[in-house]
Amino acid sequence: MTPEDIDHLAATLKTRSGLILGSDKTYLIESRLAPVARREGFANVSALLTALRTKRDEKLMTTVTDAMTTNETFFFRDKVPFDQFKSDVLPALARSRINGDIKIWCAACSTGQEPYSLAMMMDDMRMIYPRVNLDILATDISDRCLEKAQSGLYTQFEVQRGLPIQMMVKHFEKIDEMWRISPKIRQSVRFKKLNLLEDLRMIGRMDVIYCRNVLIYFDLETKRKVLEQIANLLPDDGYLFLGAAETVLGITDSFKPMPGMRGLYIKNQSQTTARPLRVGAA
């Protein structure tokens, strides 16, 4: 791989997805693009990168960007954001939304485990919140990930990562060596292709936004732009969930952390202090 090829790849990734190529770029490039090179008929990764730089092939650029994007996810990942939604955010919004509709956006949803986790959790609480309806939108930049998410089909390994056995039995059906989530849960999530670098106003007003474990791959300015666009989508009493390694501090004044709630943020209004939540309230 020539320095020119690597620099062009880094520029392509930043422009198209916001991804900043890390210091371990040689290993990362080889491990993620070797399968692409074989599949696309190139002799090696170097040949693939040269073609990427010289041919301006849109399809190839999309394929490479998809392969280089981190898509790590699993059901109920990190647990805390789902516990916080169940015990604090959902009760507060259920009290304030008269029509019972709560709009949730799962940004960078990868293969769908995050939005499906929320949908299953809500389904299991239907007796407690009979009038609440979660309108869940899940978006990602990757066609490959969205196709898998919409299929609702997961391996044994994937359903064992974070998914309680009771939920697996209730919401999944075994198909050969795979597990498929029930049509009821699949139909409760809308999937859409979306790049976070685009104008996000098309998303519309959201009550809760999960944007976890994606900002860590952006530079400071890109983080700021994404967070400020997200702030414009939330009402004054909306909530933002970020990943455990992410923060708004030092990036934007549009949000402030909820006291005692790791990874949970509310809009920063000079005339308003953080709203106390009654843990476990219905």
Side-chain angles (χ1 to χ4, degrees):
M1 288 180 283
T2 68
E4 292 80 11
D5 286 340
I6 294 176
D7 289 345
H8 182 265
L9 174 63
T12 298
L13 293 176
K14 185 177 187 302
T15 300
R16 297 176 72 88
S17 70
L19 177 67
I20 301 299
L21 207 55
S23 57
D24 58 342
K25 53 189 175 184
T26 302
Y27 168 77
L28 188 68
I29 293 169
E30 284 285 356
S31 63
R32 295 195 177 177
L33 293 187
V36 176
R38 289 193 298 269
R39 191 168 63 245
E40 297 294 326
F42 293 98
N44 49 44
V45 172
S46 294
L48 169 64
L49 293 182
T50 299
L52 185 72
R53 178 169 58 87
T54 59
K55 293 186 177 181
R56 301 296 300 173
D57 184 325
E58 177 65 26
K59 180 177 181 295
L60 186 61
M61 284 192 285
T62 298
T63 300
V64 168
T65 301
D66 188 355
M68 290 298 296
T69 304
T70 300
N71 296 312
E72 169 70 4
T73 187
F74 51 91
F75 291 103
F76 294 97
R77 183 179 183 182
D78 301 328
K79 194 174 183 295
V80 171
F82 300 96
D83 290 343
Q84 290 173 341
F85 179 82
K86 180 179 180 178
S87 63
D88 297 278
V89 173
L90 177 58
L93 291 175
R95 291 193 298 270
S96 62
R97 299 301 184 265
I98 297 175
N99 63 3
D101 290 335
I102 298 175
K103 294 182 177 294
I104 300 177
W105 175 30
C106 292
C109 70
S110 187
T111 48
Q113 284 92 322
E114 180 179 82
Y116 284 144
S117 294
L118 289 166
M120 287 186 290
M121 188 168 65
M122 188 68 237
D123 188 71
D124 288 352
M125 294 190 294
R126 182 56 56 200
M127 295 293 291
I128 303 174
Y129 299 99
R131 292 186 297 276
V132 170
N133 172 58
L134 296 192
D135 180 2
I136 304 175
L137 172 66
T139 68
D140 201 90
I141 193 175
S142 169
D143 289 316
R144 173 175 52 87
C145 286
L146 289 172
E147 183 179 353
K148 178 178 174 64
Q150 289 174 306
S151 76
L153 200 59
Y154 298 97
T155 65
Q156 182 74 37
F157 174 73
E158 288 170 324
V159 295
Q160 287 178 328
R161 293 188 74 194
L163 184 65
I165 186 64
Q166 300 93 332
M167 282 192 170
M168 186 179 76
V169 172
K170 179 179 179 181
H171 298 292
F172 285 78
E173 174 190 9
K174 197 169 192 310
I175 301 178
D176 297 325
E177 298 303 314
M178 305 289 283
W179 291 83
R180 172 164 278 159
I181 202 163
S182 70
K184 179 182 180 181
I185 299 300
R186 290 205 310 275
Q187 291 164 10
S188 67
V189 179
R190 294 179 292 123
F191 289 97
K192 179 182 178 65
K193 184 174 182 178
L194 180 72
N195 189 330
L196 291 177
L197 304 187
E198 297 174 358
D199 185 343
L200 300 181
R201 286 177 294 183
M202 67 182 75
I203 292 295
R205 182 57 60 93
M206 290 287 161
D207 298 302
V208 181
I209 295 176
Y210 280 78
C211 186
R212 302 194 302 136
N213 307 306
V214 61
L215 296 181
I216 54 175
Y217 301 107
F218 296 165
D219 62 19
L220 186 63
E221 181 61 17
T222 304
K223 290 177 184 178
R224 183 188 65 78
K225 288 179 179 179
V226 171
L227 284 169
E228 291 184 357
Q229 282 212 77
I230 285 175
N232 290 332
L233 303 180
L234 287 169
D236 291 343
D237 61 347
Y239 299 88
L240 168 66
F241 285 93
L242 295 181
E246 297 168 324
T247 183
V248 302
L249 301 179
I251 301 174
T252 178
D253 294 327
S254 297
F255 291 98
K256 59 185 176 183
M258 284 291 296
M261 297 283 179
R262 177 173 60 87
L264 180 58
Y265 298 84
I266 57 173
K267 292 181 73 169
N268 192 11
Q269 303 170 73
S270 58
Q271 73 277 17
T272 305
T273 58
R275 303 182 300 284
L277 294 177
R278 293 189 298 158
V279 176

